[in-house]
Amino acid sequence: MSTPLPDIEKVLKQHKLSLGDYDHIKKILGREPNLVEIGIFSAMWSEHCSYKSSKKHLSGFPTKAPWVIQGPGENAGVIDIGGGYAAVFKMESHNHPSFIEPYQGAATGVGGIMRDVFTMGARPIANLNALRFGNVLNQDDISAHQRYLVRGVVSGIGGYGNCMGVPTIGGETSFDECYNGNILVNAFTLGLAKSDEIFYGRAEGIGNPVIYVGSKTGRDGLGGAVMSSDSFTEASKGLRPTVQVGDPFTEKLLLEACLELFKTDYVVGIQDMGAAGLTSSSFEMAGRAGSGMIMHLDKVPAREQGMQPYEFMLSESQERMLICAKKGTEQAIIDIFEKWDLDCAVIGEVTATGKMELFWHGEKCAEVPVDPVSEEAPVLDRPMSRPAYLDEIANVKLSDFEAVDNQSAFEKLIASMEVVDKGWIYQQYDSMVQTNTVKKGGELDASVIRIKENGVALAMSADCNVRYCFIDPKAGAAAAVIESGRNVAMSGATPKAITDCLNYGNPENPEVMWQFAQGCLGIKEACAELNTPVIGGNVSLYNETNGKSVFPTPSIAMVGVNDDQNNVLLSTFQNEGNVVYIVGENRSEFGGSLYMKELYNVVAGTIPTIDYTKERALWNLVIEANKKGLLEAAKDCSSGGAAIALAKMACVSGKGIGATMNVNDPRDIFAESMSRAIIEVAPENCAAFEAMVGSLDCQKIGTIGGDTFSFNDVTMRLPEMQNIYYNTFKKVIEGDL
Amino acid sequence: MKVGIIQFPGTNCEYDTQHAFASLGCETEILWHKNDAIPQGCDLVVVAGGFSYGDYLRSGAIAKMSPIMKALKVYANNGGKVLGICNGFQVLTETGLLPGALKRNEGLHFISRHHHLKVVNNENDFLRHCSIDQVVNIPIAHHDGNFYIDSEELQELYANNQVLLKYTDASGNIDNPNGSVDSIAGICNKAKNVFGLMPHPERAIEALLGSNDGKAMLEGFISA
């Protein structure tokens, strides 16, 4: 089994292992590793699988609440949503593959996150995504390439999700030059399960069979986990073969077959084969239960002849699952998968040895103790330093720049890529299949589905203001949690828990590592203050090209529960004659604002003040007033401030408004103070609503009606504004077709 | 009233369709595509939407080879009522139970949104509760919804009152999202027992989800 490897240094380099790692491996094995074993350690100790740079900072997240059924550590997190049902959800990145090959990269990202959810026993019922692209506006090669990436990514997400019959109900897309060389594609899936029928990724019970189901294994995605644990250079273009190819049809069959299997009591544990394929699924399943495992790799269904054990262990072919079943149920399981025309093979069994023993045509080809591979994985304490740029930008103020009149500023902001409607994107996603979608992409703020089984509605929102994260990595991450929670609360739902997807640059850069650590602190603080635990997540590092790291981008997806699905609060104007309020304190806060970015091309200043007490009070006000039936609509104020929030509500509803807000500086209508919302109330409910506002600031600013948008000194005719709002995105993205 | 709903590998609207008909008080049964007979007592068979066989080769082209399609042809030829929605419409044109074909959308994108439709003919079971020129709001979600038919067959469709629905705006003016010939969204066969449309009436039976205009359409199949 153990043939010493010639030219060990070259082998280690190819596998991104150090000589220190090699000595450690020899110590664990008590001998020289062979190539299969090197491959296993390389994958399991990659940044992607081992979280070696991030682990130190990930401890201490608030993960518990009475409604949390499963926190981090499983394939996805689980919360109780009442009536015996649970929501299972998670968000993951597929950044590197999507940059190299946008359609397949994004498609397999969606496929992977859906498997993470249905492997827990839940039918996926909603998808969201958070996308970050570079500058798409210019007539140069960079922008042309970015537009190509937008088209490919959106098409890939739609191609996979639509075929699966899972509605993609919302998301967030933003643009900044910092993503020119490294786009971010974060995909979120939420599934529904009975709360006492959750399945876990465990292989236990000596002699129980280990069963492989799904697609055949090919040579695609070999080394994908290792690839995504590195930065980009020119040479990365040659990595296309490491990107997996998705087959949503097979995944749909796998989903239906697994759900049919879950109705039986045959399953002990199940896990999808994601990054590092058969290696990570088998080691993690055995590891969680403290078991050993035997696998016969020659029994794994293969797509092509001549494949070797190394390739079987490291392939990242999609649409595959590993099942540990009760002994004696093998044939019944095979029957289910055969019904759905899927491969299914018993490839091994659970042992008591604590070792992973791999065989090839009867001969042992690898033997690795299970626990040390995960438990002794390197944990790095990478050096950190506060980035120098922070001091340079902290004192930049609006008054440093030449003033722009509000009308011109508004015309610039309403046409910016961050503000305009993304119908070109969300209309390519089937948002209504499964007949649960109450509020979807384009309807502003959180997306909402109803649950037929228990009468509740689930609201969800993915958010991150990356400019805030750049100027203040800690408060910016906290702000992402706050904004996602506020969006959820605006629908009348109580925010319950988050999943995060932490996209950062190169951890070997001490300044990036500092940003990451600060981001974790921000999330911990906000989640604790808002009582919304973290129930799962994903870390994506090395988002860097040619030495330039992306802005810190901790995408947060919040999920909330509204007990009455017939009382979902919408975010656009409902009726002419209704009164519009702004609740919350309006300050002249412009740090990291869309205003400064669009008008002065600056991302600088001090982040708007965070006040958790006021934030919670705002949520409670909206949730409680909605329960009493006092509200017609609510929308949060975020990028672009009150002016852009009102303008979006007017565009989407097709209703005009005349509004006036008290300001210290005329430009405050674009300021981005937190903990604010625009709220629509019918005249007969105004007194009752005002009585509930308590200590929060509240201004009646106008009345809905007419065909003009008018707010302080800004005016625009509605048809003109809608034309800009609805047609800009397509013009830009399809400009070169 | 009993409704059978065909499930191919890759079908994904079978449970939505089941939910819709069940909420209208119908008995429903999911029919696995490997069955070679339509169960006794089915008053309507729905070929539901989705991506049968992943839409590989061509939408509906592989599904038409499934055993149940032979049985469905016999059922339809004996006067049994059949409704194809979205991918089901594609399957019915592929099998020849309905004329025409469905090509890739003119804009090449998948299109998912609520869309208005105008009722063109109502002398049939499907639209008998709707009035002519009535505008309904029904979701569409398709990549291959571009209805094509040659001019001779098109004349026949009109002559026999087989054109059922056209894509319009809210005021009933033609608004064609996908390049379909004459903006046609739904048709039936000459005998008026086989119906096909790209929009999803089963997604429009509750105001909570944005529209309940599909309810009257599906109720047309339920005898008074």
Side-chain angles (χ1 to χ4, degrees), chain A residues 444-492:
Chain A
L444 311 179
D445 288 10
S447 303
V448 182
I449 53 169
R450 58 90 181 265
I451 304 297
K452 294 185 185 104
E453 286 80 354
N454 67 356
V456 310
L458 297 182
M460 56 203 87
S461 181
D463 295 280
C464 179
N465 185 324
V466 301
R467 290 184 296 274
Y468 293 169
C469 293
F470 177 71
I471 64 170
D472 189 334
K474 182 184 170 196
V481 177
I482 293 168
E483 189 187 341
S484 62
R486 192 187 308 136
N487 282 332
V488 163
M490 292 307 113
S491 76

Side-chain angles (χ1 to χ4, degrees), chain A residues 199 208-214 254 256-258 260-270 321-347:
Chain A
F199 289 81
N208 276 338
V210 173
I211 302 176
Y212 171 112
V213 301
L254 187 61
E256 297 303 332
C258 285
E260 198 168 318
L261 174 65
F262 293 146
K263 286 183 196 154
T264 70
D265 63 349
Y266 307 155
V267 178
V268 174
I270 178 167
M321 294 274 198
L322 197 63
I323 295 171
C324 173
K326 289 179 185 163
K327 200 171 171 60
T329 64
E330 293 88 338
Q331 192 53 49
I333 292 175
I334 290 169
D335 289 345
I336 290 173
F337 285 88
E338 276 184 353
K339 173 188 163 186
W340 291 96
D341 301 324
L342 291 166
D343 276 291
C344 179
V346 179
I347 62 166

Side-chain angles (χ1 to χ4, degrees), chain A residues 221-238:
Chain A
L222 270 184
V226 179
M227 173 271 286
S228 58
S229 304
D230 205 351
S231 310
F232 277 133
T233 60
E234 270 304 298
S236 304
K237 286 174 186 161

Side-chain angles (χ1 to χ4, degrees), chain A residues 585-599:
Chain A
E585 197 179 338
N586 307 304
R587 302 191 196 90
S588 301
E589 292 176 306
F590 282 90
S593 63
L594 183 67
Y595 186 90
M596 288 191 32
K597 168 76 183 172
E598 288 294 322
L599 269 59

